[in-house]
Amino acid sequence: QVKLVESGGGSVQSGGSLKLSCVTSGLTIPGVCRGWFRQAPGKEREGVALIHRMGATTYADSVQGRFTISVDNDANTLYLQMHALRPEDTAMYYCVAARRSFLPLEGEPDTWGQGTQVTVSS
């Protein structure tokens, strides 16, 4: 059974930084895509950053250059380093996984974590 457990969310001021972590279990690595989606109040979920089976990464335009996704396969942990945070980054952030070689940002992951809240104040 695949399990994704996020941590690292919190409240920061605009311009601040946070690093999210996601401990994964039950995944057959490297046969999966992993990444982060988010959902702000009143808005649809959106893909933020993904790392595909061959290691390529995809970022939403809104976070390009500010967020970095990385993975430590030995520790079964996925990270999202976030810099220059903006109030519009406020959302619940979800760790996701998909059993395929590539997942587009608008795609539907197979597995979701429980989420970790990120709140950015102006």
Side-chain angles (χ1 to χ4, degrees), residues 33-37 47-52 55-60 69 78 96-97 102-107 109:
C33 295
R34 290 153 289 174
W36 297 90
F37 275 50
V48 175
L50 293 164
I51 185 164
H52 308 290
T57 56
T58 304
Y59 294 93
I69 188 172
L78 183 72
V96 301
F102 178 83
L103 177 70
L105 289 172
E106 64 274 15

Side-chain angles (χ1 to χ4, degrees), residues 83-107:
H83 294 299
L85 283 162
R86 306 166 180 169
E88 54 264 40
D89 294 318
T90 295
M92 184 71 78
Y93 283 71
Y94 297 91
C95 180
V96 301
R99 295 181 185 85
R100 66 204 78 165
S101 60
F102 178 83
L103 177 70
L105 289 172
E106 64 274 15

Side-chain angles (χ1 to χ4, degrees), residues 52-89:
H52 308 290
R53 188 176 68 181
M54 299 305 292
T57 56
T58 304
Y59 294 93
D61 289 344
S62 60
V63 307
Q64 183 74 47
R66 300 188 297 122
F67 291 11
T68 302
I69 188 172
S70 61
V71 61
D72 182 341
N73 287 320
D74 291 335
N76 293 324
T77 303
L78 183 72
Y79 301 99
L80 185 67
Q81 177 69 60
M82 305 184 293
H83 294 299
L85 283 162
R86 306 166 180 169
E88 54 264 40
D89 294 318

